[in-house]
Amino acid sequence: MRAPGTDHDTGTDPGGEGSGTDAGTDAGTDSGFDETSGFEETKAPPPGKSRASRVTWQKLTFLPAVLTVVLLTTWLWFQQAELDPLSENALSGGQVWKALRQSIELTVISTFFVLIIAIPLGILLTRGAFRKATPAAMALANMGQATPAIGLLALLVIWLGIGRKAALIGIIAYAVLPVLSNTIAGLKANDPTLVEAARGIGMSSVGVLTRVELPLAVPLILAGVRTALVLNVGTSTLATFGGGGGLGVLITTGITNQRMPVLVLGSILTVALALLVDWLASLAEILLSPRGLEAGT
């Protein structure tokens, strides 16, 4: 026999049983909250979404379009300009293409040697007992960049003689610092707990370096490489003083002979090459950075 007022005491509502539970369940499901774990569920972003959003069409097209307009305008100006025999002789016979090709070769070769010197050295200086040599190595790299480039090239020419070899060594010495310092800084900035976790799951020292430490340091290393590339383009113009050729030939010819068209062409090509190299390096910096380090992932 049921006591009177049972329905009132228990607070049940005939016909509406479980409505509060259903509403709470729906609310929890809609808000992405997992009641079993007590944590809010978040959806993983689609692979490559952040990277695609960073490489916009403006970044891909703006600088190349500006450089194309500048170079086309320069070419049209030279088509209608009246050049004296000395200027024509400096710009004819493929001299412009030869100087541009030499500058590109100097930049590529010097950057290659900078990478194979600075990155392994930076890794070595963050390992064990070699860390004590870091101040000495950084001081030596600072000396290479602190020394005026033209003075360093002059000393190398006295030591090695005139030629491309002296020019390359000078360019390399001038560009080692940003890559070396960024490699060391990137490896030192890694979270120690991640390194310890990798060792805890049985990774070897080489495995921790190649699969954990270096991928985390890639953004800083690439920033240093980008800086070194632009430095190499600018420094390569000084190679002409050591017999290394390059766009510096056009610039020095224009200055010494007071031929403004030759000077303008050499300067514009040098600036355009530096901007193009920086643009390519910025794209590589985005595309080569590990996906998990991008904002929003």
Side-chain angles (χ1 to χ4, degrees):
M1 182 174 184
R2 186 174 61 182
T6 302
D7 290 344
H8 175 73
D9 293 339
T10 58
T12 57
D13 182 13
E17 185 177 357
S19 60
T21 304
D22 293 343
T25 303
D26 292 343
T29 304
D30 293 341
S31 63
F33 187 83
D34 187 359
E35 293 181 352
T36 59
S37 62
F39 294 98
E40 186 177 355
E41 296 179 351
T42 56
K43 294 182 179 180
K49 182 178 179 181
S50 176
R51 182 172 300 175
S53 64
R54 291 174 64 187
V55 185
T56 60
W57 67 268
Q58 292 94 337
K59 187 174 185 63
L60 288 174
T61 59
F62 178 72
L63 184 60
V66 171
L67 292 179
T68 301
V69 171
V70 171
L71 294 176
L72 182 60
T73 303
T74 304
W75 180 76
L76 292 175
W77 178 65
F78 268 91
Q79 288 296 108
Q80 61 183 7
E82 296 182 0
L83 303 177
D84 59 4
L86 188 58
S87 297
E88 289 182 354
N89 184 52
L91 300 177
S92 63
Q95 296 297 318
V96 176
W97 167 245
K98 179 182 178 182
L100 180 60
R101 178 175 54 81
Q102 288 174 342
S103 285
I104 295 174
E105 289 176 354
L106 287 169
T107 301
V108 172
I109 296 173
S110 60
T111 303
F112 170 75
F113 281 103
V114 166
L115 294 183
I116 65 175
I117 292 172
I119 294 180
L121 182 59
I123 294 172
L124 186 65
L125 292 174
T126 58
R127 309 293 105 180
F130 292 100
R131 293 176 183 174
K132 296 180 180 179
T134 301
M138 291 299 297
L140 188 61
N142 274 306
M143 287 176 58
Q145 194 170 60
T147 305
I150 186 66
L152 179 61
L153 181 61
L155 292 175
L156 290 171
V157 167
I158 294 173
W159 178 34
L160 300 173
I162 294 177
R164 179 173 289 193
K165 184 178 179 180
L168 280 173
I169 294 177
I171 297 172
I172 292 168
Y174 201 70
V176 163
L177 179 62
V179 181
L180 178 61
S181 61
N182 279 32
T183 301
I184 295 174
L187 291 173
K188 286 186 175 181
N190 289 339
D191 190 350
T193 58
L194 296 177
V195 178
E196 290 300 324
R199 290 172 180 165
I201 63 174
M203 280 191 182
S204 63
S205 298
V206 176
V208 173
L209 176 64
T210 57
R211 300 182 64 181
V212 178
E213 293 185 86
L214 280 177
L216 291 174
V218 160
L220 270 178
I221 295 175
L222 290 177
V225 174
R226 180 178 177 181
T227 303
L229 276 168
V230 178
L231 282 174
N232 287 347
V233 173
T235 313
S236 66
T237 58
L238 300 177
T240 182
F241 296 105
L247 290 171
V249 173
L250 299 180
I251 296 175
T252 54
T253 300
I255 293 175
T256 54
N257 296 319
Q258 297 183 354
R259 294 300 185 269
M260 189 59 64
V262 181
L263 174 61
V264 168
L265 181 60
S267 302
I268 289 178
L269 289 178
T270 302
V271 172
L273 180 60
L275 291 176
L276 181 61
V277 165
D278 182 68
W279 174 73
L280 292 174
S282 68
L283 292 181
E285 192 174 355
I286 294 173
L287 297 175
L288 297 179
S289 294
R291 185 181 303 167
L293 299 181
E294 297 174 1
T297 58

